[in-house]
Amino acid sequence: MVQKNVRIRDVARQAGVSTATVSRALTTPDLLAEATRENVFAAIRATGYRVNKAARTLRTRQAGAVLVLVPNLGNPFFSRILAGISARLGDRDTSVLIADTMNRVATGKSLVDYFLDSQIDGMICLDGGLPENDLQQFRDNGLADRIVFACEWVQNTDLPSVRSDNIQGARLAVRHLYELGHRKIAHVTGPLDNVLTHARREGMLIERGRLELPARDEWIIRGDFSLESGREAAEEIIRMENRPTAVFCASDQVAFGLMSTLTARGLRVPEDISVIGFDDIELSDFYVPSLTTIRQDRHALGTRAASLLLECIDPQSTADGHRKTPVIVDVELIVRHSTAMA
């Protein structure tokens, strides 16, 4: 039976540890042995103990919450990253607030206000298009060290970031198509001003040059990571006199739009044109044909970004130097049915 008005000493008694150990499990669980940590959390569940967040905020001057900025909550790509962030911050009893940057202008609320109003301790940003005036406000208020970028990042800054190995992923994609015998390989990019677009295009160009593949300007088609841009790219390819035999898409969403339009126009995937994507969102395995793609470990992107932020906002942490070096998460080629021998 769950007790009323449970205190930290009741948890300590249930777990057979000191109150200091219980407090450490709630604030710095990584410092405890796994068995001890699990024992304490089991006692917390058994007793029904709840942290008094209001009291903790007054005592520690911490809000116990983190803001996560997402460029488009309707995009299924971000779900696993958010799950990873929530899982890691949940271990520290830290709440997660989520804001869609597509709708932020309508609210009229400045991002720095979340900090100044003591609503959050830090921020994880999945949007590399954060305006420079927002970044400057963080710098002016001494808050830049409480921001971590995940998946995307801002060029020419030393803000901490966790990102996939996008260049290597693009190289894996082109190499896979080459090994299947394809030499006429097109690429549908992401938005022109996006850091992922540039990284994946760079990887494609590196591998294309290394393999001495033929290059035509019309084989690089501008997209924007959306289904619609995949549809438009398919229409461009259909009109080409010198049509590619394979297409590397900068996202799975682009690949789905491309394949559906090619199929509707009478071209077969992969018999007529092979298609490979980037991301490995959940639909990739269920689409017909299932999509060959580059898998990003999105859950790891989330957990590692959350861990890095916790380190940044820890007042006792002194490890400043390595935070400026991007954390790179490995990618993996996932071969399914949308690619075949040329």
PDB file of all heavy atoms in Angstrom, residues 85-107:
ATOM      1  N   ILE A  85      15.470  11.463 -25.602  1.00  0.00           N
ATOM      2  CA  ILE A  85      15.623  12.590 -24.675  1.00  0.00           C
ATOM      3  C   ILE A  85      14.795  12.362 -23.417  1.00  0.00           C
ATOM      4  O   ILE A  85      15.276  12.526 -22.291  1.00  0.00           O
ATOM      5  CB  ILE A  85      15.210  13.900 -25.366  1.00  0.00           C
ATOM      6  CG1 ILE A  85      16.200  14.275 -26.469  1.00  0.00           C
ATOM      7  CG2 ILE A  85      15.094  15.039 -24.343  1.00  0.00           C
ATOM      8  CD1 ILE A  85      15.747  15.435 -27.337  1.00  0.00           C
ATOM      9  N   SER A  86      13.541  11.958 -23.600  1.00  0.00           N
ATOM     10  CA  SER A  86      12.648  11.745 -22.451  1.00  0.00           C
ATOM     11  C   SER A  86      13.156  10.636 -21.552  1.00  0.00           C
ATOM     12  O   SER A  86      13.076  10.741 -20.320  1.00  0.00           O
ATOM     13  CB  SER A  86      11.237  11.418 -22.953  1.00  0.00           C
ATOM     14  OG  SER A  86      10.682  12.500 -23.670  1.00  0.00           O
ATOM     15  N   ALA A  87      13.668   9.563 -22.173  1.00  0.00           N
ATOM     16  CA  ALA A  87      14.172   8.442 -21.369  1.00  0.00           C
ATOM     17  C   ALA A  87      15.349   8.870 -20.502  1.00  0.00           C
ATOM     18  O   ALA A  87      15.424   8.540 -19.317  1.00  0.00           O
ATOM     19  CB  ALA A  87      14.575   7.290 -22.287  1.00  0.00           C
ATOM     20  N   ARG A  88      16.271   9.626 -21.088  1.00  0.00           N
ATOM     21  CA  ARG A  88      17.467  10.034 -20.331  1.00  0.00           C
ATOM     22  C   ARG A  88      17.116  11.060 -19.264  1.00  0.00           C
ATOM     23  O   ARG A  88      17.598  10.972 -18.118  1.00  0.00           O
ATOM     24  CB  ARG A  88      18.509  10.614 -21.292  1.00  0.00           C
ATOM     25  CG  ARG A  88      19.811  11.047 -20.603  1.00  0.00           C
ATOM     26  CD  ARG A  88      20.526   9.841 -20.017  1.00  0.00           C
ATOM     27  NE  ARG A  88      21.704  10.253 -19.266  1.00  0.00           N
ATOM     28  CZ  ARG A  88      21.724  10.543 -17.971  1.00  0.00           C
ATOM     29  NH1 ARG A  88      20.583  10.469 -17.261  1.00  0.00           N
ATOM     30  NH2 ARG A  88      22.838  10.899 -17.367  1.00  0.00           N
ATOM     31  N   LEU A  89      16.296  12.035 -19.592  1.00  0.00           N
ATOM     32  CA  LEU A  89      15.952  13.051 -18.608  1.00  0.00           C
ATOM     33  C   LEU A  89      15.014  12.503 -17.539  1.00  0.00           C
ATOM     34  O   LEU A  89      15.019  12.974 -16.406  1.00  0.00           O
ATOM     35  CB  LEU A  89      15.313  14.253 -19.295  1.00  0.00           C
ATOM     36  CG  LEU A  89      16.233  15.040 -20.239  1.00  0.00           C
ATOM     37  CD1 LEU A  89      15.492  16.205 -20.871  1.00  0.00           C
ATOM     38  CD2 LEU A  89      17.475  15.540 -19.498  1.00  0.00           C
ATOM     39  N   GLY A  90      14.211  11.492 -17.916  1.00  0.00           N
ATOM     40  CA  GLY A  90      13.337  10.866 -16.929  1.00  0.00           C
ATOM     41  C   GLY A  90      14.126  10.210 -15.819  1.00  0.00           C
ATOM     42  O   GLY A  90      13.673  10.157 -14.667  1.00  0.00           O
ATOM     43  N   ASP A  91      15.323   9.713 -16.136  1.00  0.00           N
ATOM     44  CA  ASP A  91      16.184   9.120 -15.107  1.00  0.00           C
ATOM     45  C   ASP A  91      16.597  10.143 -14.064  1.00  0.00           C
ATOM     46  O   ASP A  91      16.952   9.788 -12.940  1.00  0.00           O
ATOM     47  CB  ASP A  91      17.453   8.527 -15.747  1.00  0.00           C
ATOM     48  CG  ASP A  91      17.155   7.298 -16.585  1.00  0.00           C
ATOM     49  OD1 ASP A  91      16.075   6.700 -16.405  1.00  0.00           O
ATOM     50  OD2 ASP A  91      18.009   6.933 -17.419  1.00  0.00           O
ATOM     51  N   ARG A  92      16.574  11.406 -14.439  1.00  0.00           N
ATOM     52  CA  ARG A  92      16.974  12.474 -13.519  1.00  0.00           C
ATOM     53  C   ARG A  92      15.783  13.254 -12.986  1.00  0.00           C
ATOM     54  O   ARG A  92      15.956  14.324 -12.416  1.00  0.00           O
ATOM     55  CB  ARG A  92      17.928  13.435 -14.256  1.00  0.00           C
ATOM     56  CG  ARG A  92      19.279  12.828 -14.600  1.00  0.00           C
ATOM     57  CD  ARG A  92      20.146  12.691 -13.381  1.00  0.00           C
ATOM     58  NE  ARG A  92      20.445  13.989 -12.815  1.00  0.00           N
ATOM     59  CZ  ARG A  92      21.512  14.718 -13.166  1.00  0.00           C
ATOM     60  NH1 ARG A  92      22.362  14.275 -14.057  1.00  0.00           N
ATOM     61  NH2 ARG A  92      21.725  15.886 -12.598  1.00  0.00           N
ATOM     62  N   ASP A  93      14.570  12.727 -13.217  1.00  0.00           N
ATOM     63  CA  ASP A  93      13.355  13.393 -12.755  1.00  0.00           C
ATOM     64  C   ASP A  93      13.278  14.819 -13.313  1.00  0.00           C
ATOM     65  O   ASP A  93      12.902  15.761 -12.615  1.00  0.00           O
ATOM     66  CB  ASP A  93      13.292  13.412 -11.227  1.00  0.00           C
ATOM     67  CG  ASP A  93      11.882  13.742 -10.728  1.00  0.00           C
ATOM     68  OD1 ASP A  93      10.921  13.254 -11.339  1.00  0.00           O
ATOM     69  OD2 ASP A  93      11.766  14.505  -9.747  1.00  0.00           O
ATOM     70  N   THR A  94      13.667  14.963 -14.576  1.00  0.00           N
ATOM     71  CA  THR A  94      13.620  16.259 -15.247  1.00  0.00           C
ATOM     72  C   THR A  94      12.491  16.262 -16.266  1.00  0.00           C
ATOM     73  O   THR A  94      12.391  15.357 -17.099  1.00  0.00           O
ATOM     74  CB  THR A  94      14.957  16.550 -15.961  1.00  0.00           C
ATOM     75  OG1 THR A  94      16.011  16.580 -14.989  1.00  0.00           O
ATOM     76  CG2 THR A  94      14.916  17.878 -16.691  1.00  0.00           C
ATOM     77  N   SER A  95      11.634  17.253 -16.206  1.00  0.00           N
ATOM     78  CA  SER A  95      10.511  17.348 -17.130  1.00  0.00           C
ATOM     79  C   SER A  95      10.980  17.824 -18.506  1.00  0.00           C
ATOM     80  O   SER A  95      11.989  18.517 -18.631  1.00  0.00           O
ATOM     81  CB  SER A  95       9.465  18.327 -16.596  1.00  0.00           C
ATOM     82  OG  SER A  95       8.975  17.903 -15.333  1.00  0.00           O
ATOM     83  N   VAL A  96      10.236  17.428 -19.533  1.00  0.00           N
ATOM     84  CA  VAL A  96      10.552  17.809 -20.903  1.00  0.00           C
ATOM     85  C   VAL A  96       9.421  18.665 -21.466  1.00  0.00           C
ATOM     86  O   VAL A  96       8.266  18.231 -21.500  1.00  0.00           O
ATOM     87  CB  VAL A  96      10.758  16.567 -21.797  1.00  0.00           C
ATOM     88  CG1 VAL A  96      11.053  16.988 -23.240  1.00  0.00           C
ATOM     89  CG2 VAL A  96      11.893  15.695 -21.262  1.00  0.00           C
ATOM     90  N   LEU A  97       9.748  19.883 -21.871  1.00  0.00           N
ATOM     91  CA  LEU A  97       8.810  20.760 -22.562  1.00  0.00           C
ATOM     92  C   LEU A  97       9.165  20.743 -24.045  1.00  0.00           C
ATOM     93  O   LEU A  97      10.344  20.778 -24.398  1.00  0.00           O
ATOM     94  CB  LEU A  97       8.900  22.192 -22.029  1.00  0.00           C
ATOM     95  CG  LEU A  97       8.816  22.374 -20.501  1.00  0.00           C
ATOM     96  CD1 LEU A  97       8.979  23.847 -20.154  1.00  0.00           C
ATOM     97  CD2 LEU A  97       7.501  21.833 -19.977  1.00  0.00           C
ATOM     98  N   ILE A  98       8.169  20.692 -24.912  1.00  0.00           N
ATOM     99  CA  ILE A  98       8.411  20.611 -26.346  1.00  0.00           C
ATOM    100  C   ILE A  98       7.747  21.789 -27.042  1.00  0.00           C
ATOM    101  O   ILE A  98       6.577  22.098 -26.782  1.00  0.00           O
ATOM    102  CB  ILE A  98       7.877  19.287 -26.927  1.00  0.00           C
ATOM    103  CG1 ILE A  98       8.588  18.100 -26.271  1.00  0.00           C
ATOM    104  CG2 ILE A  98       8.084  19.238 -28.443  1.00  0.00           C
ATOM    105  CD1 ILE A  98       8.032  16.748 -26.667  1.00  0.00           C
ATOM    106  N   ALA A  99       8.498  22.444 -27.920  1.00  0.00           N
ATOM    107  CA  ALA A  99       7.966  23.565 -28.695  1.00  0.00           C
ATOM    108  C   ALA A  99       8.289  23.346 -30.166  1.00  0.00           C
ATOM    109  O   ALA A  99       9.389  22.921 -30.514  1.00  0.00           O
ATOM    110  CB  ALA A  99       8.559  24.887 -28.208  1.00  0.00           C
ATOM    111  N   ASP A 100       7.320  23.616 -31.013  1.00  0.00           N
ATOM    112  CA  ASP A 100       7.481  23.497 -32.455  1.00  0.00           C
ATOM    113  C   ASP A 100       7.940  24.853 -32.989  1.00  0.00           C
ATOM    114  O   ASP A 100       7.216  25.844 -32.885  1.00  0.00           O
ATOM    115  CB  ASP A 100       6.153  23.093 -33.097  1.00  0.00           C
ATOM    116  CG  ASP A 100       6.287  22.697 -34.548  1.00  0.00           C
ATOM    117  OD1 ASP A 100       7.155  23.264 -35.240  1.00  0.00           O
ATOM    118  OD2 ASP A 100       5.518  21.831 -35.006  1.00  0.00           O
ATOM    119  N   THR A 101       9.136  24.913 -33.577  1.00  0.00           N
ATOM    120  CA  THR A 101       9.658  26.196 -34.034  1.00  0.00           C
ATOM    121  C   THR A 101       8.868  26.746 -35.217  1.00  0.00           C
ATOM    122  O   THR A 101       8.934  27.939 -35.505  1.00  0.00           O
ATOM    123  CB  THR A 101      11.142  26.078 -34.426  1.00  0.00           C
ATOM    124  OG1 THR A 101      11.295  25.060 -35.432  1.00  0.00           O
ATOM    125  CG2 THR A 101      11.985  25.719 -33.225  1.00  0.00           C
ATOM    126  N   MET A 102       8.098  25.892 -35.899  1.00  0.00           N
ATOM    127  CA  MET A 102       7.267  26.383 -37.001  1.00  0.00           C
ATOM    128  C   MET A 102       6.168  27.311 -36.499  1.00  0.00           C
ATOM    129  O   MET A 102       5.716  28.207 -37.211  1.00  0.00           O
ATOM    130  CB  MET A 102       6.623  25.204 -37.748  1.00  0.00           C
ATOM    131  CG  MET A 102       7.596  24.375 -38.565  1.00  0.00           C
ATOM    132  SD  MET A 102       6.765  23.074 -39.484  1.00  0.00           S
ATOM    133  CE  MET A 102       5.777  24.027 -40.643  1.00  0.00           C
ATOM    134  N   ASN A 103       5.735  27.107 -35.240  1.00  0.00           N
ATOM    135  CA  ASN A 103       4.625  27.899 -34.697  1.00  0.00           C
ATOM    136  C   ASN A 103       5.073  28.900 -33.644  1.00  0.00           C
ATOM    137  O   ASN A 103       4.250  29.581 -33.041  1.00  0.00           O
ATOM    138  CB  ASN A 103       3.583  26.960 -34.067  1.00  0.00           C
ATOM    139  CG  ASN A 103       3.033  25.965 -35.075  1.00  0.00           C
ATOM    140  OD1 ASN A 103       2.793  26.312 -36.218  1.00  0.00           O
ATOM    141  ND2 ASN A 103       2.855  24.723 -34.650  1.00  0.00           N
ATOM    142  N   ARG A 104       6.382  28.996 -33.416  1.00  0.00           N
ATOM    143  CA  ARG A 104       6.855  29.819 -32.297  1.00  0.00           C
ATOM    144  C   ARG A 104       6.592  31.302 -32.500  1.00  0.00           C
ATOM    145  O   ARG A 104       6.309  32.030 -31.551  1.00  0.00           O
ATOM    146  CB  ARG A 104       8.356  29.587 -32.081  1.00  0.00           C
ATOM    147  CG  ARG A 104       8.892  30.252 -30.835  1.00  0.00           C
ATOM    148  CD  ARG A 104      10.303  29.784 -30.538  1.00  0.00           C
ATOM    149  NE  ARG A 104      11.217  30.140 -31.603  1.00  0.00           N
ATOM    150  CZ  ARG A 104      11.825  31.328 -31.684  1.00  0.00           C
ATOM    151  NH1 ARG A 104      11.562  32.255 -30.782  1.00  0.00           N
ATOM    152  NH2 ARG A 104      12.673  31.589 -32.644  1.00  0.00           N
ATOM    153  N   VAL A 105       6.662  31.778 -33.736  1.00  0.00           N
ATOM    154  CA  VAL A 105       6.462  33.205 -33.998  1.00  0.00           C
ATOM    155  C   VAL A 105       5.080  33.650 -33.541  1.00  0.00           C
ATOM    156  O   VAL A 105       4.897  34.755 -33.023  1.00  0.00           O
ATOM    157  CB  VAL A 105       6.648  33.510 -35.500  1.00  0.00           C
ATOM    158  CG1 VAL A 105       6.327  34.968 -35.782  1.00  0.00           C
ATOM    159  CG2 VAL A 105       8.069  33.183 -35.930  1.00  0.00           C
ATOM    160  N   ALA A 106       4.096  32.742 -33.693  1.00  0.00           N
ATOM    161  CA  ALA A 106       2.718  33.105 -33.339  1.00  0.00           C
ATOM    162  C   ALA A 106       2.541  33.318 -31.839  1.00  0.00           C
ATOM    163  O   ALA A 106       1.662  34.056 -31.410  1.00  0.00           O
ATOM    164  CB  ALA A 106       1.758  32.023 -33.833  1.00  0.00           C
ATOM    165  N   THR A 107       3.384  32.686 -31.018  1.00  0.00           N
ATOM    166  CA  THR A 107       3.235  32.804 -29.565  1.00  0.00           C
ATOM    167  C   THR A 107       3.766  34.125 -29.043  1.00  0.00           C
ATOM    168  O   THR A 107       3.345  34.598 -27.982  1.00  0.00           O
ATOM    169  CB  THR A 107       3.976  31.666 -28.846  1.00  0.00           C
ATOM    170  OG1 THR A 107       5.397  31.835 -29.018  1.00  0.00           O
ATOM    171  CG2 THR A 107       3.558  30.314 -29.392  1.00  0.00           C
TER     172      THR A 107
END
